[in-house]
Amino acid sequence: MSPSFFEIVQLSNGDYALRRIDDDSAPLVKISFSEEAREMMEDRDMSVAKAMIAAGIEAVGNVAHDIDWEEDELEAADVQPSYTLH
């Protein structure tokens, strides 16, 4: 499999998105700020979006590293739907 390259773009509605450079399908991640949040950031919303995406990628890497894949495969049949409200 060839490596994927990603880009952060600002969408026409003002949201920010992470997408594959060579893929026009839906973005992997979208970040939307309220007008109040944009005013508080004083035109630094792109920098904040980049930091949020970088933190998310790092968190995914940490979670993936900590998973015991063999144990998860055995428990896959017992998975019950669960919901977490943040």
Side-chain angles (χ1 to χ4, degrees):
M1 184 192 311
S2 64
S4 291
F5 293 95
F6 301 94
E7 63 183 349
I8 299 172
V9 296
Q10 186 170 21
L11 304 174
S12 60
N13 66 357
D15 291 352
Y16 294 93
L18 175 69
R19 66 180 185 191
R20 287 186 173 87
I21 289 177
D22 58 351
D23 189 351
D24 289 334
S25 62
L28 299 168
V29 173
K30 285 197 292 188
I31 296 175
S32 177
F33 296 111
S34 68
E35 193 58 41
E36 180 182 3
R38 287 182 187 277
E39 289 173 12
M40 290 172 30
M41 289 184 276
E42 299 175 352
D43 295 324
R44 293 188 300 265
D45 46 330
M46 175 59 124
S47 296
V48 173
K50 285 181 183 180
M52 291 172 72
I53 291 170
I57 291 169
E58 183 179 345
V60 167
N62 291 339
V63 168
H65 182 266
D66 293 341
I67 292 175
D68 183 355
W69 293 103
E70 291 178 14
E71 184 177 316
D72 284 350
E73 289 173 4
L74 295 175
E75 295 174 2
D78 299 330
V79 174
Q80 298 292 323
S82 63
Y83 304 93
T84 304
L85 178 62
H86 294 277

